[in-house]
Amino acid sequence: MKDCIFCKIASGEIPAQVVYEDEQVVAFNDINPVAPVHILLIPRLHIPSFNDIIPEHKELIGHLAWAAGKLARLKNINEKGYRLIMNCGRDGGQEIIHLHFHLLGGRPLGSSLVAD
Ligand code: AMP
Ligand code: ZN
């Protein structure tokens, strides 16, 4: 997708601190971390938001979830715990219109459902 910053990261056109990648997904450190571990996980495929998931994406979304769990283990936050967030749309606070999970951990994150 032209003009999508996350597509450009996935293709290597824009640099990022990539921590995991395979044929389907890329994971990289958030440029503005809010926790010691703050990784963004994206599908290489440009899916704009959670609203745009179709049945053909089911395996891909499952793979994205699997990769998040793998990274939690890799970053050693799996036992203490972590948070996975996906913002959707304007009210959901989504700023980059390319579906992504935030993987947050490395400190107590509290039990609040909303960040702020
Ligand atoms: P969201 O509000 O859920 O769309 O989150 C977008 C996230 O992307 C924010 O946490 C930003 O800090 C992060 N971000 C924006 N540009 C970049 C970039 N070039 N590299 C890494 N993270 C980025
Ligand atoms: Zn994109």
Side-chain angles (χ1 to χ4, degrees), residues 61-92:
I61 300 302
H63 187 70
L64 200 59
W66 167 83
K70 180 186 171 73
L71 276 165
R73 289 190 295 278
L74 202 75
K75 293 289 174 182
N76 250 319
I77 56 172
N78 55 316
E79 287 194 1
K80 281 193 169 172
Y82 52 90
R83 183 169 294 156
L84 273 176
I85 296 174
M86 187 181 290
N87 297 325
C88 179
R90 194 182 48 211
D91 280 3

Side-chain angles (χ1 to χ4, degrees), residues 5-6 28-32 40 87 93-96 100 102:
I5 189 170
F6 283 1
F28 50 94
N29 289 327
D30 196 292
I31 206 167
N32 188 18
L40 300 174
N87 297 325
Q94 184 180 5
E95 287 176 357
I96 307 281
H100 53 280
H102 296 252

Side-chain angles (χ1 to χ4, degrees), residues 1-8 10 42-48 96-99:
M1 178 69 157
K2 207 165 126 319
D3 296 334
C4 170
I5 189 170
F6 283 1
C7 281
K8 287 181 178 169
I42 64 169
R44 289 189 184 274
L45 181 70
H46 182 84
I47 302 172
I96 307 281
I97 310 305
H98 179 131
L99 182 147

